[in-house]
Amino acid sequence: MNAAPYERIRSQIQSGDIVFVRSRGTPLHRIITFFTQAPHIHVGIAFWMEIHNVHHLMVVEANGGAHRQIVNMSIYKGYDMDILCAPVPWESIAERALSRIGE
């Protein structure tokens, strides 16, 4: 999938897809992209979860090595993203993938 705003691609994201969040050019983002030599400032694994009959798009990401966090993906509202579609069903890799975040 090509880079697109979160608001436009949210409904197309499937559990297990890898989400690359693009820089918006802030000073911190420029530092990150300078050292990584990539246009992205964050990467994580997207997944859908249901809370009180409402579907929420979440992302699990490493933040500082082995420190992991799960956040509502709407925190990246206003960012462009590149999505790498999961090559296998999320259910078949969820446990292994989540245990290795940050490695």
Side-chain angles (χ1 to χ4, degrees), residues 10-18 46-48 57 83 86 90:
R10 180 183 185 275
S11 64
Q12 298 172 33
I13 297 172
Q14 301 292 312
S15 291
D17 288 352
I18 308 299
F47 64 96
W48 289 92
L57 182 56
I83 308 300
W90 175 240

Side-chain angles (χ1 to χ4, degrees), residues 45-81:
I45 301 172
F47 64 96
W48 289 92
M49 68 183 300
E50 187 175 320
I51 303 171
H52 301 293
N53 298 318
V54 177
H55 287 91
H56 298 271
L57 182 56
M58 310 297 285
V59 63
V60 61
E61 55 192 16
N63 192 2
H67 176 74
R68 300 174 190 131
Q69 62 186 13
I70 296 174
V71 295
N72 193 312
M73 213 159 126
S74 65
I75 67 165
Y76 296 117
K77 192 176 193 174
Y79 285 83
D80 284 350
M81 302 178 175

